[in-house]
Amino acid sequence: MERLPLLVGVTGGIGSGKSTVCAMLAGMGCELFEADRVARELQLEDPEVIRGIEELFGRDVYSRDGSGQLQIDRKAIASVVFSDPEKLTALNRLIHPKVREAFAREVKRCAREGKRMLCKEAAILFEAGADRDLDRIIVVAAGDGLRLDRAVKRGLGREEATKRMAAQWPQERLIERAHYVIFNDGTLEELRSQVEQIYRSLMTVAE
């Protein structure tokens, strides 16, 4: 009988450093499912999702590049959804069930291959109800000012980054529902030390 891997969610607000934490976990041997990357791929590859996005935001959000490859104007969509909660909810309802299906397939693959742990990285884990499918939750946290600075360094405008932060759950609410909390306000070495400690704890649970 196939044994399911330990299913671990990793979440945190914009600029918290959850992707860095997930990269560290993957380097330690954990399988990784990037929910946000899968969601972006669905927006370009799944006909049902593409139709839904066109209905929500207009056909102009899609175009073709010189080689005929489909492209999506993510900035245009972001400017709408982070100012219009109803549009954001509608977009999430369109995409999240598909992401959940993809995650379920990944769980089955890991079970077949005898993997002991699968981490799901997702920006809006609790908001999407995805926490119900998981055994443990890690929340990555950092000060609001630091998170905002990191988001701006990544190329977001300060106003846009502030809107995104406001649209996400407050960190305090995330922390209340976490099994583990990583505070990413210090050096990379300090972050790695926290990740290693949690990884050892999770592997004990997985055994």
Side-chain angles (χ1 to χ4, degrees), residues 154-182:
R154 271 172 23 198
L156 281 180
R158 190 162 287 269
E159 184 180 349
E160 185 182 355
T162 303
K163 279 184 181 178
R164 292 195 185 195
M165 286 175 69
Q168 295 177 337
W169 277 18
Q171 280 195 143
E172 296 76 17
R173 191 175 177 190
L174 297 178
I175 289 169
E176 283 172 4
R177 300 181 66 171
H179 296 92
Y180 303 93
V181 181
I182 292 173

Side-chain angles (χ1 to χ4, degrees), residues 5 9 14 27 40 44 49-50 71 74 110 115 125-126 133 139 141 144 156 178 184 207:
I14 186 170
R40 289 193 297 270
L44 291 171
V49 171
I50 291 168
Q71 294 181 312
R74 300 191 193 280
C110 287
K115 306 295 184 183
L125 192 77
F126 293 113
D133 303 328
V139 165
D144 287 350
L156 281 180
N184 184 23
E207 293 297 336

Side-chain angles (χ1 to χ4, degrees), residues 132-205:
R132 294 191 295 267
D133 303 328
L134 302 167
D135 302 309
R136 296 289 187 276
I137 308 289
I138 299 170
V139 165
V140 187
D144 287 350
L146 181 56
R147 289 170 52 215
L148 185 58
D149 288 344
R150 287 172 180 162
V152 170
K153 281 181 184 175
R154 271 172 23 198
L156 281 180
R158 190 162 287 269
E159 184 180 349
E160 185 182 355
T162 303
K163 279 184 181 178
R164 292 195 185 195
M165 286 175 69
Q168 295 177 337
W169 277 18
Q171 280 195 143
E172 296 76 17
R173 191 175 177 190
L174 297 178
I175 289 169
E176 283 172 4
R177 300 181 66 171
H179 296 92
Y180 303 93
V181 181
I182 292 173
F183 292 100
N184 184 23
D185 290 303
T187 66
L188 207 56
E189 290 74 20
E190 289 168 337
L191 178 64
R192 183 176 294 279
S193 177
Q194 292 182 76
V195 174
E196 286 174 347
Q197 187 176 351
I198 289 172
Y199 180 75
R200 287 194 295 270
S201 175
L202 288 169
M203 285 305 291
T204 301
V205 177

